[in-house]
Amino acid sequence: MSEPGATIFSFCADPSSIDGFEWLACYLTTAKHLSIYWSVGTVLLLLAITAPVALLFGFGGASAARSRVWPVSIIGRSYIAVVRGVPDIAFFLFFVIALDQFFEYLRHQVKCPDWDMPIRQGNDFVVCAAAKLPLGNAPQWMHEVYGFSLAVLTFSIVFGAFAANVLYGAMRAVPRGQIETAEAYGMTQRQTFWRILVPQMWVYALPGLSNLWMVLIKATPLLFLLGVEDIVYWAKELGSTKTSKFTDYPHGDWRMWYFAGLLVFYLCFTKVSEAVLGRISRRLSRGQATAAGEAQRKAALS
Amino acid sequence: MTCWDVVQDYGLRSLGIGERLLPRSDFTLCQQVVLIGSGMLWNIYFGAIALAAGFFLAIATAVAKAHHNPLLRKPADAFVLLFRGSPLFIQFFFAYFAFLNLKSVSPMLDDLSSAWLGALIVLFLNTSAYSAEIFYGALMSIPKGDNEAADAYGMHGFSRFRRITLPTTLRLAWPAYTNEAIFLFHSTTLVFVSGFPAQSQRGDALYYASYFADKTFNPFVPYPILAGYFILLTLTVIGLFGIVNRRLNRHLPRENTPKIRLRPNLIR
Amino acid sequence: MKTLILSTAIVALTAGAALAQDVVRMGTEGAYPPYNFLNDKGEVDGFERELGDELCKRAELTCEWVTNEWDSIIPNLVSGNYDTIIAGMSITDERKQVIDFTENYTQPDPSAFVAMADASVDLSGAVIAAQAATIQASYVASELPGATLLEFATPEESIAAVRSGEADAVLADKAYLDPIVAEGGDLAFTGENVLIGGGVGMGVRQSDTELRDKFTAAIQSMKADGTLNALIAKWEIGEQF
């Protein structure tokens, strides 16, 4: 039905006449296949943004949990406990719509104070046009960026709770003597926190954060639940049976091979991450008063 | 219709007992609580069996991983890498398609593509790999003195493993193993999202929660119910593992008993 | 004066949130040929693509295509992520409680059972696969008391289940099954076709009455001049009007 689009190889003009390697080369370079390669980029981008944002949430959560003001402390602790006690997928399934409606509701309150219609009309969630996110006349890419940001935010809230737990533990692992010394020097609580505790906690937090990074990588296949067209979406779409009526490249049910490809991709990604994190860990341990730091010192001496 | 009637109709719906048709209109809170609770039976089934069976494979894998013979060590390493290095979600998908292809080999393998067996196998292998890594870590940190004492008593082979190595390994690994158990229960929710079909609308807690979210267009009721159930389940697991933990450490003075603390591992 | 202008503006807005905007976003699944699918270029294609573009032209609207998973296609419409559902969705009373439909643009399409060509299936006691949250799934659940319903997230998976022996038969729209049976070789229609639902229509939010009426008018004009029938014939959707 569709005329052949722009192709990378010249021999792809008539896919029905080629076979073997050439067919495969053409097949794997259709515009639709380029989408799955792009979606790998989406996953990497999500990881690159989510990691620091989740760390920020985690830092906030951990600081709140150890606050001396008890309401703040309660909020911090329940954030950590609730998110961690519940399967993440439960959050993924309803956070995106919930967050979307929450933001639109807030904007609605600000931008359309004179609105006299109810926001919930039966099943519908209706806000004024100016409050819609993104605006109704926004181009498609804005919608995609917005959807992607919601996914990042959801991931960050969930993984922030785990990061908070790691950082909370790391703050408590900093030797008491360090804090006491700081106090003896007459530092205020704030100074002790920022100048002594925060710089030293990272080495204790690193094993937990490394673990969290691995877990984060392995949570990315759930992105499609958040409405982002990710590699799982494309693997399902591309691998499914195609009849010759609707494509130039008919094939049977190939989803198993596409998922085998994803499996290999994740294994490689994990391996690379392990190597990089190992390096960082050795770097951070240098000169620290921990077992690993001590071992490095001894190795250097002998 | 009182809530008790609903319990009778739907309390065991996830096993196919009771009313055949799911509620289709006028959804009550009671229906949601009962059906989602009924679905929890599947989560408990998957989690408990995979954990119990996985325990033994995990110990075997950990021992193989620590063995000096590469013929034992290499396969164990590869097994652990495969299941810890890839997302459980993808493992479910891939296994489902692989099981479908296996079915043509022999009718004996027919049940592999149903959730009760196929998904259980994946969860079993997955938790074995994660627990193997935990036990391996513990095996590596057994105090030297324990082994030397065993030598002094002339203990060798299996009796030494059973009486010295294993108890110490379990003691050291137990807090981390508790976390693994909790997150295994959490990851049972992925089963029906990931390719394994729900038969006659018998599904797990998440299946029913999303059923209600789908029908009522209000995710703010069913998912918090699901969350509540899982918090209860988590507390139960912590309690049960705590009992075992006290038993494992019963020879130690009270204050030396390692505390079980929830540490992150979540989705694989 | 100022408040007067403001209130008229609000009336215009409430009359139809989608109309106040320049772009109408058309939500579809992109995995249900010939109704809608992604072509080799990764664009939405199929009967509903051509139909939708023509309808927008006649209603003088600028339209944009978006894909969304079937599972969450209604919640995302209701919460305003797009303005219409044009995804081979049959008009049913159950769905009408939640969203509004335009006039139907296909005849009530027969659904058909497909099983392996070499198998003889007794449908009343069989395992029957269907896509979750479709009229076919609720038909099996409520009308075939002896049958076991097996639900899948995508139509593709329900076909695969028959091939693998997981299910004895699959129930889906006949127009979707036709090319698969024609090309698959190993599959065949079985049993009687069943008529479920009131034809396929476009779904819109219940608050968007003006948008609904515009599309209904456009559909009526396409029915009147025969262009709709031509499209139905081209994509082999089924009965004509």
Side-chain angles (χ1 to χ4, degrees), chain C:
Chain C
M1 190 63 206
K2 200 175 166 193
T3 50
L4 189 69
I5 294 173
L6 204 64
S7 54
T8 43
I10 287 168
V11 168
L13 286 173
T14 47
L19 294 183
Q21 309 153 5
D22 305 320
V23 182
V24 174
R25 290 164 56 81
M26 315 273 269
T28 192
E29 186 193 8
Y32 204 58
Y35 288 91
N36 57 76
F37 62 94
L38 298 180
N39 63 20
D40 288 337
K41 283 181 266 177
E43 298 161 347
V44 176
D45 202 340
F47 167 67
E48 285 173 328
R49 172 71 202 249
E50 282 194 38
L51 173 74
D53 285 346
E54 180 63 28
L55 290 177
C56 290
K57 209 164 85 190
R58 291 184 187 216
E60 293 174 347
L61 299 165
T62 320
C63 293
E64 198 169 53
W65 290 85
V66 217
T67 53
N68 195 88
E69 298 258 325
W70 178 260
D71 283 353
S72 57
I73 205 161
I74 293 181
N76 275 304
L77 172 76
V78 175
S79 70
N81 289 345
Y82 34 80
D83 306 304
T84 69
I85 295 175
I86 173 162
M89 183 175 273
S90 295
I91 303 168
T92 62
D93 290 338
E94 206 176 315
R95 290 183 181 135
K96 270 190 192 161
Q97 292 174 0
V98 185
I99 55 174
D100 261 4
F101 283 97
T102 62
E103 192 171 300
N104 56 323
Y105 52 75
T106 71
Q107 295 283 24
D109 180 40
S111 300
F113 293 97
V114 161
M116 297 301 283
D118 49 5
S120 63
V121 180
D122 172 23
L123 290 173
S124 58
V127 178
I128 295 173
Q131 187 180 10
T134 58
I135 51 171
Q136 286 88 8
S138 37
Y139 177 82
V140 177
S142 56
E143 305 293 320
L144 298 175
T148 307
L149 169 65
L150 212 52
E151 289 175 289
F152 293 89
T154 61
E156 169 74 18
E157 284 165 301
S158 61
I159 304 285
V162 174
R163 285 220 167 86
S164 70
E166 182 87 49
D168 300 321
V170 54
L171 180 63
D173 284 333
K174 193 159 186 301
Y176 170 73
L177 293 171
D178 268 331
I180 296 171
V181 171
E183 208 154 305
D186 51 345
L187 297 171
F189 286 107
T190 182
E192 306 252 315
N193 292 346
V194 284
L195 278 175
I196 331 168
V200 173
M202 276 169 84
V204 294
R205 278 182 296 275
Q206 283 168 341
S207 48
D208 260 0
T209 45
E210 200 174 324
L211 185 68
R212 182 194 67 200
D213 296 343
K214 276 203 175 188
F215 274 116
T216 295
I219 290 170
Q220 280 162 347
S221 92
M222 282 186 74
K223 277 179 179 169
D225 65 10
T227 41
L228 182 58
N229 278 340
L231 271 184
I232 290 177
K234 178 186 172 191
W235 291 95
E236 296 173 14
I237 293 297
E239 299 276 310
Q240 304 197 341
F241 283 95

Side-chain angles (χ1 to χ4, degrees), chain A residues 84-90 92-94 98 101 123 158-159 162 165-166 208 211-212 215 218-219 221-222 224-225 232 236 255-256 259-260 262-263 266-267 270-271, chain B residues 81-82 84-87 89-91 93-94 97-98 101 130 183 186 189-190 193 206 210 216-217 219-220 223 226-227 230-231 234 261-268:
Chain A
R84 288 172 62 241
V86 176
D88 327 61
I89 186 170
F92 292 158
L93 279 174
F94 81 112
Q101 294 191 351
N123 296 300
V158 171
F159 284 86
F162 286 84
N165 190 50
V166 170
N211 187 23
L212 201 55
V215 172
K218 284 178 249 158
L222 295 179
F224 85 103
L225 291 176
V232 173
K236 272 174 148 179
R255 283 174 302 168
M256 187 167 118
F259 277 99
L262 290 190
L263 208 62
Y266 276 105
L267 280 178
T270 311
K271 264 284 173 201
Chain B
L81 174 72
L82 180 67
R84 289 185 77 236
S86 62
F89 192 66
I90 305 275
Q91 290 166 20
F93 261 117
F94 185 73
F97 297 133
N101 289 352
Y130 274 87
F183 291 108
H186 285 188
T189 49
L190 288 175
V193 189
L206 187 71
S210 56
T216 61
F217 302 94
F220 300 98
Y223 290 114
L226 176 81
F230 265 95
I231 288 173
T234 305
R261 298 209 5 241
L262 192 59
R263 307 255 338 253
N265 193 10
L266 80 165
I267 331 167
R268 303 76 194 285

Side-chain angles (χ1 to χ4, degrees), chain A residues 59 62-63 66 166-174 193 197-198 201:
Chain A
F59 191 73
S63 314
R66 66 192 296 288
V166 170
L167 293 180
Y168 183 68
M171 286 174 185
R172 287 170 31 137
V174 173
F193 181 75
L197 200 60
V198 173
M201 69 180 190

Side-chain angles (χ1 to χ4, degrees), chain A residues 108-156:
Chain A
H108 180 83
Q109 296 297 335
V110 175
K111 299 214 167 194
C112 312
D114 298 325
W115 185 265
D116 55 357
M117 306 276 292
I119 289 184
R120 285 219 166 265
Q121 297 178 17
N123 296 300
D124 294 7
F125 179 83
V126 184
V127 292
C128 63
K132 283 203 86 60
L133 270 175
L135 291 172
N137 55 6
Q140 175 61 17
W141 68 266
M142 288 270 281
H143 285 268
E144 277 168 22
V145 167
Y146 178 65
F148 182 78
S149 321
L150 283 182
V152 167
L153 191 58
T154 308
F155 262 69
S156 302

